[in-house]
Amino acid sequence: KHDFVTAKRFPVRKSEPGKRKLVILHFGRDVSSEDAIKEAAKQGFERPTYEDCLRFGAQHPEVQRQFPVVFLHDPVEAGVGGPRVLCLGRDDSERFLVCSWFDDDWSGFCRFAFVCK
C-alpha cells in the first residue's frame, strides 16, 4: 500500500448496482495519460474510477504480477508534484498499490484499465 492512499483522499463512494466490465488495453509504446485516454475513447471505452482499481486488485490479484495496470481515473490532487492516479504493480513477488503522477509518460510495458460502455 502506498502512504498517499488514504480513506480521506480516496473515500469509497456508493456505486450503482451491477458489474462494471473492465478492459485492459496495451499500447506497446510509451504513452501519456492524455493520449491513452483519447485512444481508449476512440475504441468506445470510458475512464475508470479509483474504486475500479481497488476492486480489480482484490478480484484479480495475479494480473498485476504479469504487468503494471494503470487506472486513469479522475486524478487526485497531491499538492506538490501534481495530480496522481492509482496503479497496481509488483516488486519481485509482492503485489502493491501505488499512486503515480498523472502527468508523466507511461512505459510501453504498462497496461491500462478502462470501462466498457
Side-chain angles (χ1 to χ4, degrees):
K1 174 184 166 300
H2 194 273
D3 290 341
F4 185 80
V5 180
T6 64
K8 185 175 180 179
R9 286 190 184 100
F10 296 92
V12 177
R13 302 170 290 202
K14 287 189 174 189
S15 60
E16 293 185 29
K19 293 185 178 185
R20 289 168 56 87
K21 183 176 178 185
L22 297 181
V23 62
I24 304 294
L25 299 181
H26 181 218
F27 299 108
R29 59 180 165 75
D30 291 0
V31 64
S32 69
S33 296
E34 293 298 334
D35 286 343
I37 291 167
K38 287 177 188 173
E39 182 59 35
K42 284 182 195 174
Q43 295 182 38
F45 302 117
E46 298 176 340
R47 291 173 72 174
T49 63
Y50 58 76
E51 290 92 347
D52 290 324
C53 176
L54 302 174
R55 196 174 302 114
F56 184 86
Q59 292 174 353
H60 306 282
E62 294 305 313
V63 173
Q64 72 191 85
R65 291 186 197 277
Q66 299 169 38
F67 40 75
V69 184
V70 179
F71 288 75
L72 294 173
H73 55 79
D74 287 332
V76 173
E77 274 305 318
V80 177
R84 295 186 185 198
V85 293
L86 295 179
C87 306
L88 299 172
R90 69 173 171 84
D91 184 11
D92 295 323
S93 63
E94 296 294 318
R95 297 170 51 229
F96 63 77
L97 171 68
V98 67
C99 243
S100 293
W101 306 116
F102 179 81
D103 295 332
D104 284 350
D105 283 352
W106 302 96
S107 159
F109 185 63
C110 292
R111 287 5 182 232
F112 298 84
F114 287 93
V115 179
C116 296
K117 291 184 181 181

